[in-house]
Amino acid sequence: MENWQDTEGLAFVIWFIVLFFISLIILIVFIIKTSFKSVLQKEKEISKEKLEHQKELLKTTIFTQEKERNRIAQDIHDGLVSELNNIRLSKKDNEQVINAKLQNCIKTVRLISHDLMPPLIEETSVEDLLTDIIEGLETNLKVEKHKLIHNNVKIDNSMKLQLVRIVQEVTTNILKHAEAFQINFLLRITKSSLMLKIEDNGIGFKEDTTTGLGLKNIIARTQLLNATHKFKSIKNKKTSFLLRLNLN
């Protein structure tokens, strides 16, 4: 009788242990499955956010391009075409006056072409192109320049153009919004990378102001370069723009 009860008790314990492990396995599988679903859902949400971000940047790029085209078309119509029509219809102007008007037309064409493509971009180093932009601020700001350039580093024209547009956008924002009186410009070019830092001593900006068209344009151009960038702002003290571009 006792042997039978012992056997029955042992069987119950074994059965309980088996049920416990089966339940534990089921629980583990459930947890893993739930966690996997959660990870997939998060990855899906991240992918969706990235897609929306890319769409927004594309819209910004297209909008900026259309805005630039409209501005250039307006400049051509109001400046160049109007002046040429005046010359064509003029009957009283002497040769000296006509030459002066033609010089104005040539000046307008140069300004428009400069907007489309910086002059001599193929022959000019990226160092000189960016330094020219910074030095152009000296009428409004105190400028400090620091450069460390490795010789014989070649940067293609498309990269040069994007860097020029980024620096133009950053400096335009400084002039418009920073209320700064000094700007520090640091450029370091090695065989493997280009590092750029533009810092002003202005009023800084709030985080929610970093979604403007100009800053979206900077983001879009940075992505075209496969570069990384960062803004650091301290209220009423300074704003720093940092960019790193791999050249390999």
Side-chain angles (χ1 to χ4, degrees):
M1 184 71 177
E2 289 181 1
N3 290 336
W4 180 81
Q5 288 178 340
D6 290 343
T7 302
E8 188 179 49
L10 182 61
F12 176 78
V13 171
I14 293 172
W15 179 244
F16 177 80
I17 293 171
V18 170
L19 283 176
F20 173 78
F21 278 106
I22 291 173
S23 301
L24 184 61
I25 290 169
I26 292 172
L27 179 62
I28 292 170
V29 170
F30 175 77
I31 291 172
I32 292 172
K33 188 176 180 181
T34 303
S35 299
F36 185 68
K37 282 184 178 180
S38 177
V39 170
L40 286 178
Q41 183 64 29
K42 286 181 180 178
E43 287 181 352
K44 187 177 179 181
E45 290 174 359
I46 292 171
S47 297
K48 185 177 179 181
E49 288 177 2
K50 285 183 178 179
L51 182 61
E52 291 298 323
H53 183 64
Q54 291 293 334
K55 286 181 179 178
E56 188 65 26
L57 287 178
L58 181 60
K59 284 169 61 178
T60 300
T61 303
I62 292 171
F63 179 80
T64 303
Q65 289 174 346
E66 289 302 317
K67 186 178 177 182
E68 283 297 299
R69 287 192 184 112
N70 289 335
R71 182 183 62 79
I72 291 168
Q74 195 71 34
D75 287 345
I76 292 172
H77 179 271
D78 294 346
L80 186 60
V81 175
S82 296
E83 191 68 27
L84 289 173
N85 276 328
N86 287 335
I87 295 170
R88 182 176 64 85
L89 297 172
S90 176
K91 296 179 180 178
K92 297 181 180 180
D93 290 342
N94 57 37
E95 184 177 346
Q96 187 176 359
V97 173
I98 291 174
N99 284 336
K101 289 182 177 180
L102 287 173
Q103 286 297 322
N104 285 332
C105 291
I106 292 169
K107 184 178 179 181
T108 300
V109 171
R110 283 176 176 168
L111 289 172
I112 293 170
S113 64
H114 185 278
D115 279 345
L116 290 172
M117 180 69 74
L120 303 175
I121 192 168
E122 292 184 7
E123 295 82 5
T124 309
S125 69
V126 70
E127 171 194 356
D128 291 338
L129 287 169
L130 300 185
T131 302
D132 285 347
I133 299 171
I134 299 300
E135 290 177 345
L137 304 174
E138 289 180 338
T139 54
N140 300 294
L141 299 166
K142 179 183 177 182
V143 176
E144 290 189 5
K145 302 183 292 292
H146 307 277
K147 294 178 286 184
L148 179 62
I149 312 298
H150 189 284
N151 293 329
N152 301 320
V153 176
K154 291 186 178 180
I155 299 176
D156 66 48
N157 295 332
S158 61
M159 282 186 174
K160 288 181 186 178
L161 182 60
Q162 297 305 327
L163 288 166
V164 165
R165 297 308 187 210
I166 288 171
V167 172
Q168 286 175 334
E169 196 72 62
V170 172
T171 52
T172 297
N173 284 337
I174 291 172
L175 291 174
K176 284 185 176 180
H177 308 296
E179 299 180 22
F181 60 83
Q182 181 172 328
I183 183 171
N184 297 324
F185 173 73
L186 173 64
L187 179 65
R188 182 167 67 92
I189 302 176
T190 67
K191 288 183 177 181
S192 60
S193 66
L194 180 148
M195 298 284 292
L196 173 67
K197 180 179 181 181
I198 302 174
E199 183 173 274
D200 66 69
N201 65 342
I203 60 175
F205 57 79
K206 296 179 181 178
E207 290 300 320
D208 57 1
T209 62
T210 61
T211 56
L213 180 62
L215 292 171
K216 286 182 179 178
N217 196 18
I218 290 171
I219 294 170
R221 293 186 185 279
T222 302
Q223 289 193 347
L224 285 174
L225 288 169
N226 289 322
T228 58
H229 81 284
K230 183 185 292 185
F231 280 98
K232 291 183 178 180
S233 181
I234 300 176
K235 188 177 180 181
N236 297 324
K237 189 173 182 182
K238 67 177 182 178
T239 297
S240 300
F241 171 76
L242 306 164
L243 181 139
R244 179 184 173 85
L245 169 64
N246 290 325
L247 299 177
N248 292 334

